[in-house]
């Protein structure tokens, strides 16, 4: 069994990961040319033939600029930004994770593979997507999101700080952490960065379908209305709801009793029925489905 390189376990900067991509892609394209009689692919991707001047500083700078502008690197750069920093830009998170993973699979050969850190970033992006969509999160992916050792997450489960369960099915086996529990726990982790959605993707309340959509909608609504979040100026008719509690709600975590819905709707100046429907749809989906089904009977 090969020992893991210590560097593989630490977060690598995008610059270091680019260098890994730069070199592995060259080796992989070279292998592809050899097996499929496809001469010229490597030179076309880099803008010239790297093997002739790979070590020359001037040439390497030109090659680097060329590769950084490629769609392949753009996909990996977007994956890093989403997985590590929670930034989506104007892209769909589904496409970000899938496109990045696909590029990495295309430059993987038997002898040359991207650094293990790329695999971890794909897993981290996948974990963030599950978190953002209101799905439960694999225990190991939650550890990646929090940038902690997996034992820290296991200890949090044992201490009752995280609600977990084990799946034994073929498609998603392993230990999963409940979404609301994972979101609440991550909020207190120093190294976790919440997902940032572009203002252009702010959904209407009727279209909110996930905790991240909910958080994005509330923050955008508060900023649009110029509402204050100072202590004592929030929702006076909702007992126990202070600025910290509101910050939790705006992080996409709803652990309040349902009698807080109307005061919150009034605070954000949203129709009460629409806001209740949104809260039920996103955070109490099972009960929401039961209510809708009973109405159709």
């Amino acid at each position: 069994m090969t020992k893991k390189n210590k560097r593989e376990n630490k977060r690598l900067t995008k610059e270091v990961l680019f260098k890994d991509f730069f070199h592995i892609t060259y080796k992989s394209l070279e292998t592809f040319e050899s097996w499929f009689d496809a001469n010229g692919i490597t030179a076309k991707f880099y803008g010239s033939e790297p093997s002739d001047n790979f070590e020359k500083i001037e040439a390497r700078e030109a090659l680097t600029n060329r590769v950084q502008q490629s769609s392949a690197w753009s996909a990996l750069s977007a994956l890093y930004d989403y997985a590590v920093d929670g930034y989506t830009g104007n892209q769909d998170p589904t496409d970000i994770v899938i496109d990045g993973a696909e590029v990495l699979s295309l430059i993987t050969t038997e002898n040359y593979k991207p650094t293990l850190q790329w695999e971890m970033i794909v897993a981290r992006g996948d974990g963030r997507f599950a978190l953002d969509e209101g799905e439960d999160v694999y225990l190991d992916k939650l550890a990646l999101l929090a940038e902690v050792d997996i034992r820290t997450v296991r200890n949090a489960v044992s201490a009752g700080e995280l609600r977990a369960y084990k799946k034994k099915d073929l498609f998603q086996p392993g230990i999963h952490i409940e979404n609301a529990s994972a979101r609440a726990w991550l909020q207190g982790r120093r190294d976790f960065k919440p997902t940032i959605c572009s203002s252009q993707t702010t959904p209407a309340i009727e279209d909110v379908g996930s905790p991240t959509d909910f958080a994005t909608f509330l923050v955008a609504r508060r900023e649009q209305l110029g509402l204050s979040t100072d202590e004592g100026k929030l929702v006076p008719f909702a007992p126990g709801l202070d600025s910290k509690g509101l910050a939790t709600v705006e992080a996409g975590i709803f652990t309040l009793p349902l009698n807080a819905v109307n005061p919150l709707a009034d605070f954000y100046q949203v129709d009460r029925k629409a806001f209740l429907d949104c809260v039920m749809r996103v955070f109490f989906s099972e009960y929401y489905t039961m209510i809708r089904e009973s109405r159709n009977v």
Side-chain angles (χ1 to χ4, degrees), residues 75-88:
L76 291 180
S77 178
L79 172 63
Y80 182 95
D81 290 341
Y82 176 63
V84 176
D85 297 320
Y87 178 71
T88 62

Side-chain angles (χ1 to χ4, degrees), residues 11 84 124 142-149 191-192:
R11 183 207 279 193
V84 176
R124 187 168 174 171
L142 185 63
L144 291 173
L145 285 169
E147 293 193 15
V148 297
D149 188 276
D191 293 322
F192 173 70

